[in-house]
Amino acid sequence: MSTPRTVRDRIRDEVTREIIDVARAHLAIEGAAALSLRSIARDLEMAPSALYRYFSSRDALLSALILGAYESLADGAEAASGATAATPGRPSERWAAVPRAMRAWALDRPQEWGLIFGSPVPGYQAPEETVVPYTRLAAALVAPLVECQADGTLRPPAVQSPESSPTHRDALAASLQPVAEALLPDLPTATVALALQSFTTLIGVISLEVFGHWRNTVLQPDVFFEETIGNLAASVGLCP
Amino acid sequence: MSTPRTVRDRIRDEVTREIIDVARAHLAIEGAAALSLRSIARDLEMAPSALYRYFSSRDALLSALILGAYESLADGAEAASGATAATPGRPSERWAAVPRAMRAWALDRPQEWGLIFGSPVPGYQAPEETVVPYTRLAAALVAPLVECQADGTLRPPAVQSPESSPTHRDALAASLQPVAEALLPDLPTATVALALQSFTTLIGVISLEVFGHWRNTVLQPDVFFEETIGNLAASVGLCP
DNA sequence: TGTACATCAGTGAACGCGCGTTCACTGATGTAC
DNA sequence: TGTACATCAGTGAACGCGCGTTCACTGATGTAC
């Protein structure tokens, strides 16, 4: 049931994977815009029309690549999270595991990082199913935070935001309700905001490096990255 | 001298601007990848070949668009910075001006934001001259920080990074030397790092909103944005 | 001020290209009896 | 186990398309005398 039964089905799965592998290699070299069914078919020594047995259009193939990128990134994050949870250390050390895995993944597959966090192609809609791996990624990132909260070892936010009118607080809580509910139940709104802000910073710091903005600016990106994720751990209230 | 003398020269400048305007409009709708000289020529009711009197190739036009985007963003940031410096208020209030201007610009011209901070087109090199507006942008952002430093009203970083081995500190200082020298002379390395981290967060929070990642996640992006820049002001040591 | 020549913007036809997608087909694999 | 039919992967030719870029040209604008 789970593995296909007939030879035909097995070959079909194999060829599908081959197509995606070649497509991903092309993506890495030429970028998403230049991805072409014909050139993929050429590499596979197939007729271009044969690809239509596997993907109904170029966009369908691109969607598969996008979804695959999300899943691969989420897998990497979860693996790192699982490994660090198995050998417990200081919370701020464990916090670092997922960011490091995300950065390593992004440096390894910059075009796919761009597919997820870069500018979207206008008129093209990312597949809905990306919500699932996206949530897995976020959950892996905040896992140490949730555990410390359960322990009671989480500190209150060190920096108090100056924007503290009650209306602002209410609006913020309402704004972040989906995040709080899905990932960080029972945490104070300010902490939820700081956790989301940490995610934001992480995406920013990785994107800026991967997209080439650190050239002549940040000479050793890894050092700045470590400093940044250390700061994030502290800001969010993880004990060192 | 500064304004062109002959009629021909004036018309040339006008047409050049028209081409760029139409190109920018196409960019906003179809994205950079789909930008085509022929469709621009069609809109201008010119022969496609006529564009070659103004730009030597498609890439040259794209470079002009990219440079223009950087300059427009830097102009916006500087205008906001100048306005807030003219009517002094609390430092953390003044700090907010440039981030708000950047966000407004990005929401207004999402594709151009993507040109600057999105995934780069492989094989295509952004023009060197972008360094100038990029520096103007960064300088506008940190202006309140520099002023507070001069005042002596800057606080030490509230959150102490746990990564504090002397070797790490040295490597960090070396890493950030270009940033420190160009923008934040005489500030402690930890503060330089936090300032660059603020820039990073800002790019992240704007990109995630503009690129559509807040859908069903952050219900009121402006509220979260305000919270974020408030946190950044505090983290960097600006008094409220 | 008027003339002769140089400069330059814009035209229109043509080049070669690679693309996504369709369609009628062939031949191999799978299924039902 | 063997046969008859259905399913499906892959082929190859063709479709129409829009693209960037080149080139010889025309006619208007600018310049030097």
Side-chain angles (χ1 to χ4, degrees):
Chain A
M1 290 294 166
S2 63
T3 69
R5 289 184 312 266
T6 71
V7 181
R8 220 186 225 168
D9 284 354
R10 254 187 297 125
I11 291 181
R12 172 165 251 280
D13 282 10
E14 234 173 71
V15 176
T16 306
R17 229 200 33 246
E18 273 175 24
I19 294 172
I20 287 186
D21 285 350
V22 170
R24 193 156 51 214
H26 282 219
L27 181 69
I29 295 167
E30 312 138 22
L35 193 74
S36 120
L37 291 185
R38 292 189 98 105
S39 77
I40 293 166
R42 243 175 274 131
D43 265 28
L44 289 165
E45 297 184 306
M46 292 172 93
S49 48
L51 294 182
Y52 284 80
R53 299 283 167 205
Y54 297 88
F55 297 94
S56 64
S57 69
R58 197 199 95 115
D59 272 8
L61 175 57
L62 199 54
S63 288
L65 287 177
I66 292 178
L67 188 57
Y70 272 94
E71 278 167 350
S72 165
L73 176 59
D75 288 348
E78 278 185 347
S81 174
T84 200
T87 60
R90 288 150 41 228
S92 71
E93 230 347 276
R94 280 163 50 210
W95 160 265
V98 170
R100 286 181 188 140
M102 290 171 67
R103 175 168 177 263
W105 188 92
L107 290 174
D108 192 42
R109 305 164 83 158
Q111 287 294 327
E112 291 179 77
W113 178 269
L115 231 43
I116 301 177
F117 294 111
S119 29
V121 183
Y124 175 78
Q125 187 84 312
E128 277 301 327
E129 307 98 300
T130 56
V131 175
V132 175
Y134 207 150
T135 305
R136 290 201 286 130
L137 172 66
L141 179 64
V142 299
L145 192 54
V146 172
E147 288 162 27
C148 276
Q149 156 80 355
D151 282 349
T153 59
L154 195 66
R155 304 166 173 193
V159 174
Q160 194 67 1
S161 158
E163 281 276 358
S164 286
S165 74
T167 37
H168 173 80
R169 291 255 78 82
D170 287 354
L172 187 64
S175 248
L176 301 183
Q177 191 268 335
V179 179
E181 190 176 294
L183 296 170
L184 299 164
D186 308 322
L187 278 171
T189 297
T191 305
V192 175
L194 284 167
L196 186 60
Q197 190 179 318
S198 287
F199 175 79
T200 299
T201 305
L202 202 48
I203 302 305
V205 72
I206 295 174
S207 291
L208 285 168
E209 178 178 0
V210 167
F211 297 162
H213 286 255
W214 283 169
R215 199 158 301 164
N216 306 324
T217 302
V218 176
L219 304 181
Q220 297 172 85
D222 56 330
V223 174
F224 178 62
F225 184 79
E226 289 297 323
E227 172 78 6
T228 298
I229 61 179
N231 285 337
L232 294 181
S235 80
V236 100
L238 290 174
C239 41
Chain B
M1 290 293 168
S2 66
T3 69
R5 290 185 312 265
T6 70
V7 181
R8 222 185 225 172
D9 284 354
R10 254 187 296 123
I11 291 182
R12 174 166 248 280
D13 282 9
E14 233 172 71
V15 176
T16 306
R17 228 198 36 246
E18 271 176 25
I19 293 172
I20 288 186
D21 285 351
V22 170
R24 195 157 48 216
H26 282 219
L27 182 69
I29 295 168
E30 313 138 21
L35 193 73
S36 120
L37 290 184
R38 291 189 98 104
S39 78
I40 293 167
R42 242 175 273 131
D43 266 29
L44 288 164
E45 298 184 308
M46 293 172 94
S49 48
L51 294 183
Y52 284 80
R53 299 281 168 208
Y54 297 89
F55 296 95
S56 64
S57 68
R58 197 199 95 115
D59 272 8
L61 175 56
L62 198 55
S63 288
L65 288 177
I66 292 178
L67 188 57
Y70 271 94
E71 278 168 350
S72 164
L73 175 59
D75 288 348
E78 279 185 348
S81 174
T84 198
T87 60
R90 288 152 37 229
S92 69
E93 234 340 282
R94 279 164 48 210
W95 161 265
V98 171
R100 285 180 189 140
M102 289 171 68
R103 176 171 178 259
W105 188 90
L107 291 173
D108 191 43
R109 307 164 82 159
Q111 286 295 326
E112 291 179 77
W113 178 268
L115 231 43
I116 300 177
F117 294 110
S119 29
V121 182
Y124 175 78
Q125 187 84 311
E128 278 301 327
E129 307 97 299
T130 55
V131 174
V132 176
Y134 207 150
T135 305
R136 288 202 286 132
L137 171 67
L141 178 64
V142 299
L145 192 54
V146 172
E147 288 162 27
C148 276
Q149 158 79 357
D151 282 349
T153 59
L154 194 66
R155 305 167 171 191
V159 175
Q160 193 68 359
S161 157
E163 281 275 358
S164 287
S165 75
T167 37
H168 174 79
R169 292 254 78 84
D170 287 352
L172 187 64
S175 249
L176 302 184
Q177 191 266 335
V179 179
E181 189 177 294
L183 296 171
L184 299 164
D186 308 321
L187 278 171
T189 298
T191 306
V192 176
L194 284 167
L196 186 60
Q197 189 177 319
S198 287
F199 175 78
T200 299
T201 305
L202 202 49
I203 303 304
V205 72
I206 295 174
S207 290
L208 285 167
E209 177 178 0
V210 165
F211 297 161
H213 285 253
W214 284 169
R215 199 158 302 163
N216 305 323
T217 302
V218 176
L219 305 181
Q220 297 172 83
D222 56 329
V223 175
F224 178 62
F225 184 80
E226 288 296 324
E227 173 76 6
T228 298
I229 61 178
N231 286 336
L232 294 181
S235 80
V236 100
L238 290 173
C239 41

